[in-house]
Amino acid sequence: MKKKINLSRRSLGAIFMIFALVLTLAVPAFSVEPVQAASKKTQALKAYSKFLSKSTLDWNGARVKVSKCKFALVYVDRDSVPELLVDALSAGSYYAAGYFKLYGYKNGKVVDIATARDDFTYYKKSGVFATRSFLRGEIWGYNKLSGTKSTYFLGKFTNLRTQYNNAKFQNISKSTFNRTLKKYTKGKKAVKHIKTYANTKANRKKYLK
């Protein structure tokens, strides 16, 4: 025989008060993360601005004049903190040292992530970027980005014909290459035309805020 449970209005009121209190205490858990993310983004942009205010920069053995560089913010990984792309083509770099660099922000510092010799592209907020170079043909290297650490996972080399390779530089088919790339980019298209800005004080103030 089932027992009938009777709840007085006072009992129900107490239950709802407890429920409301639990919800109230839970609110900060949902609101803290966006605030922290916004704060980290602000810190990163300030660090990038300070970094681009230097007079010269060590660039894989070259010494580039930072004021002659161009820059852009790119969102490679999935968080709200952008990476910094720097173009040193007209700033004193040379072919062997590469013309593009991708930087990130970690523990209050600007971190060198990767160098692109001739070209750079990325798949927005997918965690994937690619670099291009020309050496006896056209070479594309595809990398996964996690935080400020990049890991090579695919390659494509074209000289008369195109060859594809995996992370271990083993030959793979075109279909395997395309399937793997689609898996990691979630089917997103590459951002091929990245707008860069002259590294002036006015542009840093305008775009790094």
Side-chain angles (χ1 to χ4, degrees):
M1 181 177 179
K2 294 183 179 178
K3 292 184 178 180
K4 187 176 181 180
I5 300 174
N6 293 312
L7 292 175
S8 66
R9 289 185 178 180
R10 182 176 295 179
S11 298
L12 286 171
I15 291 172
F16 283 122
M17 284 182 66
I18 293 171
F19 182 69
L21 181 61
V22 170
L23 287 178
T24 302
L25 292 173
V27 168
F30 292 97
S31 60
V32 167
E33 187 175 349
V35 172
Q36 289 178 337
S39 176
K40 187 176 180 181
K41 178 179 178 179
T42 300
Q43 293 170 5
L45 295 181
K46 286 182 178 179
Y48 292 157
S49 183
K50 184 177 180 181
F51 180 75
L52 291 172
S53 299
K54 294 181 178 182
S55 57
T56 60
L57 187 64
D58 182 28
W59 193 279
N60 299 335
R63 201 72 184 171
V64 301
K65 192 171 183 179
V66 184
S67 62
K68 297 293 184 180
C69 290
K70 294 181 179 180
F71 72 91
L73 293 178
V74 294
Y75 289 83
V76 180
D77 60 13
R78 299 178 180 86
D79 64 24
S80 61
V81 181
E83 287 73 41
L84 176 69
L85 179 66
V86 179
D87 173 358
L89 181 62
S90 302
S93 187
Y94 48 86
Y95 184 72
Y99 295 121
F100 302 91
K101 269 187 177 292
L102 182 68
Y103 295 94
Y105 177 76
K106 183 178 181 180
N107 298 330
K109 296 181 180 180
V110 177
V111 180
D112 186 342
I113 296 174
T115 300
R117 181 170 283 175
D118 289 295
D119 200 3
F120 173 92
T121 190
Y122 70 106
Y123 300 77
K124 189 174 181 179
K125 289 200 169 185
S126 69
V128 176
F129 69 91
T131 64
R132 180 171 68 163
S133 60
F134 292 94
L135 185 64
R136 297 181 181 177
E138 181 186 38
I139 305 170
W140 278 101
Y142 295 80
N143 305 268
K144 294 180 290 185
L145 180 65
S146 178
T148 55
K149 181 181 179 181
S150 67
T151 306
Y152 178 92
F153 74 101
L154 279 178
K156 181 171 68 172
F157 174 71
T158 302
N159 183 0
L160 299 180
R161 67 187 182 92
T162 301
Q163 300 176 60
Y164 305 90
N165 65 265
N166 60 20
K168 296 181 179 180
F169 297 97
Q170 297 168 329
N171 288 335
I172 58 176
S173 66
K174 181 179 179 179
S175 60
T176 299
F177 172 90
N178 289 334
R179 186 169 59 251
T180 305
L181 184 60
K182 184 177 181 179
K183 173 185 174 182
Y184 285 104
T185 61
K186 308 301 181 185
K188 293 183 177 181
K189 301 294 183 182
V191 180
K192 294 182 179 180
H193 303 290
I194 302 172
K195 174 68 174 177
T196 57
Y197 303 96
N199 184 26
T200 63
K201 186 177 181 179
N203 279 341
R204 290 195 298 273
K205 185 177 180 180
K206 182 178 181 179
Y207 298 108
L208 299 178
K209 64 177 181 178

